[in-house]
């Protein structure tokens, strides 16, 4: 019973999403349009930069507003009413309004693009636009309405309203004496004071919204990373899909080792001599003066493989010689298919000379 509970606890633990998302999981999420972003960040920067543009382009806006009102009150006020005149007036007003608002639209467009690009980079996907039936499920919609994310969004909006209201109240309260005197000042002074107060409020509110939007973006990144978390089992399954099943790969590697060992054993009968440790190492050497510059290692092995090399050599009449230092040096410093190191030429030459003498092949 205890072992069953222990196994069950291990299974539950492996299903807990405690691991950070892998790069593959993040890329798949990005391709689906699931990225960390704050919708408030571009909007806050738009508000801030638009009010900054009122300061930088104040003279331009002033001239355009005066020209617009001058067109209406000075030039068109006493015009004769007709279909053609009304159409001309409407066209002029629309053109002047477009010129007046064009810098604002341009700033809003550029800041919106940059604000989105800074958060998620370049991303074009139609996945979020696809019709999914689960989105029409009223139960899921009800859960989303009363989810923790909805509560956070509600609290965030209430906080913004309260802070903005406080900023407006404090600014109006500080300017209450000037506001009470507006009825006694010229129209131009009234307009100048109203514009100055509006720009001040816009800059303060815009700066505050930018700060809150940055905090919201940090929170959205945290929530996004949390939603992408994976369990240990998920990581194992992903690894199997990308790299293949470890058991199958292990079997393939084992089969490759067996095939390589079999090919190596087929070369042992061609050897001139097998140098042994005598039990731990075995190295099969071959030398053909017409084709080789130096003796070549055609097989080598340790423990069980060394034993097999010696058995195959014995079955095929290949001479086996015991030389512990030479066998260890050849095993450590030579690879199959390579010539022996130059500093071992003398020792190997003596061994080969002895083998040729035994065979009656004096060279």
């Amino acid at each position: 019973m205890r072992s069953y509970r222990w196994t069950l606890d291990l299974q539950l633990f492996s299903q807990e999403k405690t691991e950070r998302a892998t790069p593959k999981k993040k890329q798949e999420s990005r391709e689906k349009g699931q990225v960390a972003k704050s919708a408030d960040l571009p909007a806050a920067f738009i508000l801030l930069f638009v009010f900054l543009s009122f300061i930088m382009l104040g003279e331009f806006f002033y001239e355009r507003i005066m020209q617009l009102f001058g067109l209406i009150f000075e030039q068109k006020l006493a015009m004769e009413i007709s279909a053609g005149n009304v159409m001309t007036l409407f066209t002029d007003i629309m053109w002047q309004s477009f010129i007046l608002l064009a810098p604002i639209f341009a700033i809003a467009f550029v800041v919106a693009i940059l604000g989105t690009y800074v958060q998620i980079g370049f991303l074009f996907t139609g996945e979020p636009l696809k019709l999914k039936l689960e989105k029409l499920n009223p139960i899921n919609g009800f859960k989303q309405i009363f989810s923790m994310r909805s509560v956070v969004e509600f609290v965030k909006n209430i906080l913004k309203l309260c802070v903005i209201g406080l900023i407006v109240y404090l600014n109006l309260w500080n300017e209450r004496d000037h506001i009470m005197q507006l009825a006694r000042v010229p129209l131009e002074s009234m307009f100048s004071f109203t514009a100055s107060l509006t720009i001040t409020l816009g800059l303060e509110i815009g700066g505050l919204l930018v700060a809150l939007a940055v905090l919201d973006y940090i929170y959205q990144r945290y929530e996004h990373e949390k939603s992408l978390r994976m369990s240990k089992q998920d990581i194992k399954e992903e690894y199997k899909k990308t790299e293949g099943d470890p058991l199958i790969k292990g079997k393939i590697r084992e089969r490759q080792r067996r095939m390589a060992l079999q090919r190596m054993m087929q070369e042992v009968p061609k050897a001139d001599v097998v140098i042994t440790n005598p039990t731990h190492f075995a190295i099969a050497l071959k030398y053909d003066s017409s084709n080789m510059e130096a003796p070549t290692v055609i097989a080598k092995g340790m423990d069980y493989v060394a034993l097999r090399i010696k058995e195959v050599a014995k079955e095929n009449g290949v001479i086996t010689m015991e030389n512990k230092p030479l066998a260890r040096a050849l095993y450590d410093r030579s690879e199959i298919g390579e010539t022996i190191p130059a500093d071992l030429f003398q020792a190997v030459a003596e061994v080969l000379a002895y083998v040729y003498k035994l065979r009656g092949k004096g060279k």
Side-chain angles (χ1 to χ4, degrees):
M1 186 65 178
R2 289 183 178 179
S3 61
Y4 172 76
R5 289 181 178 179
W6 175 252
T7 304
L8 183 60
D9 291 339
L10 286 177
Q11 292 177 350
L12 293 175
F13 178 74
S14 65
Q15 295 297 328
E16 290 183 359
K17 298 185 180 298
T18 57
E19 307 300 317
R20 297 185 62 180
T22 60
K24 184 176 183 297
K25 179 68 177 293
K26 292 181 179 179
Q27 182 62 29
E28 291 177 351
S29 174
R30 180 178 176 82
E31 291 174 356
K32 295 178 181 179
Q34 300 172 357
V35 292
K37 64 178 180 178
S38 172
D40 295 341
L41 196 60
F45 274 111
I46 288 173
L47 179 64
L48 180 61
F49 279 95
V50 165
F51 277 95
L52 284 175
S53 71
F54 290 155
I55 296 176
M56 295 182 293
L57 304 176
E59 186 176 352
F60 169 81
F61 287 117
Y62 175 78
E63 291 178 357
R64 287 298 167 181
I65 291 175
M66 295 302 294
Q67 187 172 350
L68 178 60
F69 283 96
L71 174 68
I72 298 174
F73 294 107
E74 295 180 2
Q75 301 179 21
K76 305 294 184 179
L77 191 61
M79 73 175 185
E80 182 180 354
I81 302 298
S82 65
N85 291 339
V86 171
M87 194 64 188
T88 301
L89 175 62
F90 179 77
T91 303
D92 291 340
I93 293 175
M94 289 295 294
W95 177 247
Q96 293 296 332
S97 300
F98 173 76
I99 296 176
L100 176 65
L101 298 176
I104 299 176
F105 291 151
I107 292 172
F109 178 77
V110 172
V111 172
I113 296 296
L114 291 178
T116 304
Y117 179 79
V118 168
Q119 294 184 84
I120 63 175
F122 181 78
L123 177 63
F124 181 78
T125 177
E127 188 69 23
L129 302 178
K130 292 182 179 180
L131 179 62
K132 296 181 180 179
L133 297 179
E134 58 266 21
K135 293 182 178 180
L136 303 178
N137 190 338
I139 298 178
N140 292 337
F142 184 80
K143 291 180 179 179
Q144 291 179 359
I145 292 175
F146 294 95
S147 64
M148 180 58 65
R149 181 181 291 272
S150 299
V151 173
V152 171
E153 290 294 325
F154 176 76
V155 173
K156 181 182 67 177
N157 292 330
I158 293 297
L159 178 63
K160 287 195 294 186
L161 288 176
C162 293
V163 176
I164 291 173
L166 179 62
I167 291 176
V168 173
Y169 171 77
L170 292 176
N171 277 274
L172 293 179
W173 181 256
N174 292 333
E175 299 292 341
R176 63 186 183 279
D177 295 334
H178 292 87
I179 294 174
M180 298 302 295
Q181 298 295 327
L182 289 180
R184 300 184 179 88
V185 300
L187 182 61
E188 186 174 354
S189 299
M190 182 188 300
F191 177 79
S192 177
F193 172 78
T194 304
S196 176
L197 181 60
T198 302
I199 292 175
T200 300
L201 287 174
L203 292 176
E204 292 182 0
I205 293 173
L208 173 66
L209 292 180
V210 167
L212 293 178
V214 170
L215 295 177
D216 179 63
Y217 174 67
I218 296 174
Y219 171 75
Q220 295 296 338
R221 282 185 63 90
Y222 167 76
E223 283 293 320
H224 180 67
E225 293 289 339
K226 184 178 179 181
S227 66
L228 294 180
R229 285 180 183 174
M230 305 172 66
S231 64
K232 296 183 182 297
Q233 185 63 31
D234 293 335
I235 295 177
K236 290 181 181 178
E237 293 296 330
E238 181 183 290
Y239 179 79
K240 287 182 180 180
K241 292 179 181 179
T242 55
E243 301 294 334
D245 194 330
L247 295 177
I248 297 177
K249 292 180 68 177
K251 291 180 180 179
I252 293 174
R253 286 195 295 268
E254 180 63 27
R255 184 175 181 181
Q256 290 173 343
R257 284 193 293 268
R258 288 199 303 267
M259 293 176 65
L261 179 61
Q262 184 178 0
R263 288 194 299 267
M264 186 178 69
M265 291 304 173
Q266 292 174 356
E267 296 294 322
V268 173
K270 303 176 184 179
D272 292 319
V273 64
V274 174
I275 302 175
T276 65
N277 192 27
T279 57
H280 295 295
F281 302 101
I283 298 90
L285 299 178
K286 179 178 178 59
Y287 179 59
D288 185 354
S289 59
S290 61
N291 298 323
M292 300 178 183
E293 296 180 356
T296 302
V297 177
I298 61 174
K300 74 172 187 175
M302 180 179 179
D303 296 333
Y304 171 76
V305 178
L307 180 61
R308 285 289 301 144
I309 291 174
K310 288 188 290 185
E311 290 177 353
V312 173
K314 183 178 181 181
E315 293 172 359
N316 292 272
V318 178
I319 297 177
T320 301
M321 291 190 61
E322 178 182 340
N323 190 325
K324 296 181 180 179
L326 182 58
R328 184 58 184 263
L330 288 172
Y331 184 86
D332 291 339
R333 300 171 56 190
S334 302
E335 296 297 332
I336 298 175
E338 297 180 356
T339 59
I340 64 175
D343 58 335
L344 298 179
F345 282 179
Q346 181 64 31
V348 173
E350 293 176 358
V351 172
L352 290 176
Y354 179 73
V355 169
Y356 294 150
K357 184 177 179 179
L358 290 179
R359 289 182 176 180
K361 293 183 179 180
K363 285 194 178 182

